[in-house]
Amino acid sequence: MTSPTSAPPAPVNTGDIPRASGGWMIEMARLAGGQLLLVRKRLMTKVLVVLLALGFAIVVGFGVLEYALFENQAIFSGANACPTVVADQTATPQPGGPPRCVTPSPQEQQQVEEARQRVIAAERTNLTFPTSLGSAGGYAQFMGLILLAILAGALVGGEYAYGTQRLAFARGAGRGQVLAAQTGALAVLALVTAALTLLLGVLSGVTVGPAVGGTVSGLTAAGVGEVLLYWLVISLVLFAGMLIALFTATLGRSTAAGIGGALGYQLLQLIGAGLLGALGGSIPGDTGTWLTRSQFLFIGPSASLVLGRVAHAPLALVGDDGTGPVAPGVAFAVLVGYCVLMVGLSYLLVRQRDVTT
Amino acid sequence: MQGSSPQGALAPATASVLANNPPLRAVGLTKRYGQRLAVRDLNLEVRRGDVFGLLGPNGSGKTTTLRMTLGLVAPTQGDVSLFGVSVSDTPRRRSLLRRVGALIEQPAFYPYLSGRDNLRIVATLSGAAADRVARARIESVLAQVELADRAGDAYQKYSLGMKQRLGIAAALLTEPELIILDEPTNGLDPAGIVDVRALIGRLARQGMTIILSSHQLYEVQQICSRVAILNLGTTVAQGQVAELLAAQSGIVVGFDQPELTARAMAALHAATAEAPWLRGLQYVAPEPGAWVPPGGFLIAVDAAVERASEVCALLARQGLFPAELRRREGSLEQYFLELTGGQNGHSTSAVAPAAQPPTRGGAQ
Ligand SMILES: Nc1ncnc2c1ncn2[C@@H]1O[C@H](COP(=O)(O)OP(=O)(O)OP(=O)(O)O)[C@@H](O)[C@H]1O
Ligand SMILES: [Mg+2]
C-alpha cells in the first residue's frame, strides 16, 4: 500500500499532545512520581498516617503516665503497701509463699528515693527534646515499619490485583525502569515516614517535655549531624523492610503476599534473632560466638548496632554505643545487602514475566 | 517523523525506516503457555491507514497476539514488529510503544482514583510531564468519549460502559499513530457502540492506523478496510474486506420440499465435471428474516452470479424447478462462520456433497 519511496505524511503535531521527553532516568523519576501520586490519593495512606500519629500519642501518653506515677509515688501505694524494691532486696522469698514484707530502714528508704528520682529523670529526658527523638526513632522502627509494610505491599501488589502494570508496560516502560521507580517511591516513603515520626518526636519533645519539667536544649552542629544520620539509618531500615514487601508482592503477584511477606519476616526475625542470641550466649566457644554473630544476619540486630554507632554521641539518642559481636560496618553491609538482594530478586522475577492480567 | 519530532528519542535514520514500514507485521508468531498453544505460526500485516479487523472465535489468540505486539507477552517463536522495528528490541521498544495506544480487553485502572487522575497517571506512564499540555489533552479526550462530567468520580463507581470509554480515552491520550482496540464496544449500549464506530471513523480519516478486534462482524464489515480471521491461533484468511466479500457472493437455490433439495444437490454435484465454473456447493441456513424452505436448508452455489440461468438449466434437465433462486451477498459473518467452523457454516466439501443436509443445530 505504502510504496517504500514515498513516505506518508507525518501526523500533524498540534502541539497539545503530551509527549515523552527526557532520558531513562527522567522517565523513571516520573514513574516514581506516579507511584507517589497513587500513594497520596489512597484512602489507606490517610488511615495509616492517622494510625502512626495516634500510636505515637499513645506511646508518649504512656511515658507521661509512668512519669506521673513515679512523681506522685503511686508506685508505693499498692494494696499491700509493700514496696517491691525493698521486698526484693531484703527478703528471701519462701518457696511457694509471698515475699515477706519488712519496714524499710531510713537508709533503704533513701536508696529507694534515689532510684525513684533516677527513673523520673530518665523519663523526663526521654520526653524532652532532643532525647525525645530517640524514642520517636524507636517507634518508627516498630510501628512505622508495620504501616509501611502494609503500604508497600498494597502499592506493589495492587498493580497485579488491578491489572494496572500493563498500563506502564504497554507504553514502553521497561521492566527494570518500573521496578526502579517502585524502589525509588518506596525510598521516598521511608525517608518521609522517618522524618514525620522524628517530627512528632520534636513536637512532643518541646511541648510535653517542658510540661514534665524537662529542659529543652538546642542542637550543636555535632548534634544536628547525629540527628541527620539517625534519620537516614532509620529510613534505611524502613526501606529494607518495605523492599521485602516489594519482593514478596512481586513473587506472589498480590497485595496479601506483600504484606504477609514483610510482616512474616518481622516475626521470623523476632524468633530467629532471639533464639540465635540466646543459644549463642549459652553455648561456649566458637559455635556460640558464631551463633551470636549470625543473629546479625537479621535486619533488626544489625539496625540496632548501626544506630548505636551513629546516634550515641553527643545526644545519646540511642543508649547502646554501637559495639557488639560484629563491626558496625558489617551490620551496615547487611542492611544494604538486604536492599540489593530484594530488588535484585524482584528484577529477576519481572524481567521475563508475561503480563497477562 | 523528523529528528525534531516530539518522539525525540528516535534518530533521524531510525525515523525514516519507521515511516516506510508497516505499522505492524507479525512473522511466524507463536506463543505457547505451558502445554497450550495460544498462537501458532501467525503471519499478519497491517498497513498504514488501515482500519484492520482482527476476528476470530473465543480463544483463537487475538488478545495473545495483541499482547505480544505490546511487549506484554514474549513470543515463544517468531517476531512481531511495529513500524519495522522488532518489539523484542527492548532499548527501542520504549520509543516505539509511545506511538501506540492500546485498549486490551477490559480496561485496567486504579479503582480509587478518579477517571481524570487515572489519565494523569497514564500520561506519566507514557513518559510525559504532568504539565499544562497534558492536562488540556486529558480534558479533550475525556470530552471525546463523553466522560467529562463524570471525570471526577472514582473509577470504581463507573458503569461497565464508562470504564470502557475511559479505556478508549487512555488509548487516545498521546494521539498515537497506531491504535489497538481489543473489543472496545464490550459492554457499551447501542448508542455507545454507534459512538465508538463514529470515533473510529474519525480517527481513520485523521490518518491513524487502527486495529480492531471484535466479535461484532456486521460492524467490522462496515468500518474495516482489511481483516484477518484467526482460528486456533493462526490466520485462516487475510485481505481486503471488499475482496473477501466479492469472493463470497454466489447463487442461492431453494426448494419447497426437502427431497427436491437433496436431488438438486446431487444433480449439481454430478454436473461439476462438465461445468468447471461450478466451483463449489454447500448447504447453508437462510439468513434471519429470509424464506425458510421446509428442510430448513438452501443450496449455496459457488459460481459467478451471471451463471444463474445455467444453474436453472442444469436443474431443469432433471425436472427440478427452484422455489427460490437469488444472488447471494457475501457477508463477513457467513464467511467467518464457514472458515471457523461455526454453527451456521455447515460447509460440505465442494466436490463431495453430503447426501443429506446436515441436521439443523441451533440455527434460527
Ligand atoms: N495467561 C494464560 N495462561 C494460559 N493460557 C492462556 C493465557 N492467556 C490466554 N491463554 C490461552 O490462549 C488461548 C488464546 O487466548 P486469547 O485470550 O488470546 O483468545 P482471544 O482470541 O482473545 O479470545 P476472546 O475472543 O475470548 O477474547 C486460549 O486458549 C487461552 O486459554
Ligand atoms: Mg480476547
Side-chain angles (χ1 to χ4, degrees):
Chain A
M1 189 167 263
T2 308
S3 82
T5 46
S6 67
V12 188
N13 176 17
T14 49
D16 66 344
I17 301 153
R19 290 293 188 189
S21 55
W24 193 95
M25 280 305 286
I26 292 182
E27 280 175 14
M28 192 277 284
R30 286 199 189 120
L31 290 174
Q35 295 282 312
L36 290 172
L37 177 70
L38 292 178
V39 172
R40 234 176 54 215
K41 293 273 179 176
R42 266 189 115 134
L43 178 63
M44 173 193 271
T45 312
K46 284 151 201 155
V47 173
L48 294 182
V49 168
V50 169
L51 281 179
L52 187 77
L54 217 62
F56 187 77
I58 292 172
V59 168
V60 171
F62 269 110
V64 173
L65 190 69
E66 197 181 354
Y67 169 84
L69 286 175
F70 275 92
E71 177 72 358
N72 301 322
Q73 291 197 341
I75 201 84
F76 288 103
S77 60
N80 297 325
C82 183
T84 45
V85 185
V86 177
D88 285 343
Q89 283 175 351
T90 60
T92 332
Q94 282 150 4
R100 190 163 50 86
C101 278
V102 291
T103 317
S105 68
Q107 255 173 334
E108 286 162 348
Q109 279 189 1
Q110 169 81 23
Q111 279 175 0
V112 170
E113 179 56 21
E114 278 169 12
R116 192 177 74 93
Q117 286 305 330
R118 272 202 302 278
V119 172
I120 289 171
E123 204 55 67
R124 192 178 271 152
T125 317
N126 280 343
L127 286 169
T128 309
F129 183 83
T131 319
S132 60
L133 290 176
S135 345
Y139 174 76
Q141 289 173 74
F142 169 68
M143 187 72 167
L145 191 58
I146 292 174
L147 299 182
L148 283 181
I150 293 172
L151 197 61
L155 188 68
V156 179
E159 295 289 318
Y160 294 91
Y162 309 138
T164 37
Q165 11 159 243
R166 68 175 129 118
L167 282 180
F169 294 144
R171 300 217 163 233
R175 305 293 169 96
Q177 210 175 19
V178 169
L179 187 67
Q182 284 174 332
T183 308
L186 296 187
V188 171
L189 289 175
L191 286 165
V192 168
T193 307
L196 206 69
T197 320
L198 292 181
L199 202 68
L200 289 175
V202 174
L203 280 179
S204 73
V206 298
T207 52
V208 179
V212 296
T215 316
V216 175
S217 52
L219 294 179
T220 60
V224 171
E226 182 179 332
V227 171
L228 275 179
L229 279 177
Y230 188 56
W231 169 56
L232 288 175
V233 175
I234 287 176
S235 302
L236 178 65
V237 175
L238 297 179
F239 183 50
M242 292 170 100
L243 289 181
I244 294 175
L246 168 88
F247 168 65
T248 54
T250 306
L251 182 69
R253 305 186 207 201
S254 72
T255 303
I259 298 173
L263 297 185
Y265 177 84
Q266 297 304 319
L267 197 68
L268 185 79
Q269 165 176 287
L270 197 72
I271 299 166
L275 214 62
L276 288 172
L279 280 176
S282 59
I283 297 174
D286 283 352
T287 316
T289 316
W290 183 81
L291 284 173
T292 310
R293 282 192 179 153
S294 58
Q295 68 176 311
F296 288 86
L297 284 174
F298 286 102
I299 293 177
S302 282
S304 304
L305 201 74
V306 176
L307 285 170
R309 178 76 183 84
V310 300
H312 182 64
L315 300 178
L317 298 179
V318 176
D320 297 335
D321 63 356
T323 49
V326 302
V330 173
F332 184 71
V334 167
L335 297 184
V336 175
Y338 264 94
C339 298
V340 173
L341 188 72
M342 291 299 123
V343 176
L345 289 177
S346 304
Y347 180 68
L348 290 181
L349 286 175
V350 296
R351 197 171 47 119
Q352 301 279 7
R353 194 186 255 179
D354 285 341
V355 179
T356 54
T357 44
Chain B
M1 265 94 326
Q2 282 71 34
S4 61
S5 77
Q7 294 86 13
L10 298 170
T14 315
S16 76
V17 169
L18 297 188
N20 294 324
N21 278 292
L24 188 154
R25 177 184 279 148
V27 181
L29 199 61
T30 300
K31 178 64 190 183
R32 190 181 279 282
Y33 287 114
Q35 287 299 305
R36 173 164 284 120
L37 205 52
V39 172
R40 72 189 152 92
D41 197 24
L42 178 130
N43 298 304
L44 205 64
E45 184 173 300
V46 177
R47 300 171 190 165
R48 198 168 281 269
D50 271 354
V51 178
F52 191 93
L54 193 61
L55 316 178
N58 292 135
S60 56
K62 304 179 295 293
T63 301
T64 305
T65 302
L66 297 178
R67 282 187 197 280
M68 286 191 274
T69 301
L70 295 170
L72 295 174
V73 163
T76 311
Q77 260 169 41
D79 189 47
V80 55
S81 57
L82 291 170
F83 306 101
V85 177
S86 168
V87 177
S88 57
D89 182 347
T90 338
R92 288 161 84 189
R93 187 196 286 170
R94 281 189 297 140
S95 45
L96 267 186
L97 288 179
R98 296 288 146 79
R99 310 168 67 193
V100 179
L103 167 65
I104 299 292
E105 291 194 327
Q106 292 89 24
F109 288 107
Y110 298 96
Y112 49 89
L113 290 187
S114 68
R116 186 178 282 116
D117 281 340
N118 267 301
L119 291 186
R120 272 176 72 191
I121 290 279
V122 171
T124 319
L125 296 178
S126 312
D131 54 9
R132 188 192 50 77
V133 171
R135 280 198 298 277
R137 177 68 185 166
I138 286 169
E139 294 311 317
S140 141
V141 291
L142 281 170
Q144 268 193 65
V145 297
E146 291 173 22
L147 265 184
D149 55 336
R150 298 291 300 275
D153 290 6
Y155 177 71
Q156 60 200 358
K157 294 184 187 163
Y158 282 3
S159 74
L160 181 62
M162 291 162 77
K163 289 177 177 172
Q164 205 71 18
R165 284 164 200 264
L166 190 66
I168 296 173
L172 298 179
L173 191 62
T174 50
E175 194 145 319
E177 290 157 67
L178 172 64
I179 299 186
I180 295 175
L181 300 171
D182 188 5
E183 299 186 40
T185 50
N186 195 1
L188 292 187
D189 56 21
I193 293 177
V194 171
D195 286 350
V196 168
R197 196 189 305 157
L199 179 67
I200 292 175
R202 268 204 311 280
L203 298 172
R205 280 194 294 281
Q206 284 170 28
M208 289 186 194
T209 306
I210 297 156
I211 299 177
L212 172 71
S213 159
S214 175
H215 292 298
Q216 314 265 335
L217 297 181
Y218 175 69
E219 186 165 286
V220 168
Q221 186 175 329
Q222 285 191 316
I223 56 178
C224 290
S225 52
R226 295 195 336 122
V227 292
I229 299 180
L230 267 59
N231 196 25
L232 302 174
T234 199
T235 343
V236 288
Q238 185 167 189
Q240 299 276 347
V241 173
E243 282 171 17
L244 292 178
L245 293 181
Q248 273 284 294
S249 65
I251 302 159
V252 172
V253 194
F255 293 86
D256 48 15
Q257 289 173 35
E259 316 82 72
L260 296 181
T261 312
R263 275 179 58 202
M265 185 58 125
L268 289 171
H269 177 235
T272 49
E274 58 176 277
W277 47 265
L278 206 55
R279 294 186 300 259
L281 294 165
Q282 68 184 58
Y283 289 113
V284 290
E287 300 90 74
W291 175 68
V292 182
F297 282 92
L298 299 163
I299 299 172
V301 182
D302 185 7
V305 181
E306 303 81 62
R307 300 282 183 177
S309 54
E310 287 168 72
V311 170
C312 273
L314 276 174
L315 292 170
R317 263 197 260 157
Q318 306 291 324
L320 294 163
F321 299 96
E324 182 181 41
L325 176 91
R326 61 180 163 83
R327 176 195 171 91
R328 183 194 190 200
E329 292 297 342
S331 99
L332 207 49
E333 183 172 84
Q334 196 69 36
Y335 187 50
F336 176 89
L337 293 172
E338 281 168 23
L339 276 177
T340 59
Q343 287 185 348
N344 286 351
H346 298 299
S347 169
T348 58
S349 152
V351 287
Q356 298 294 319
T359 44
R360 304 219 44 201
Q364 298 240 284

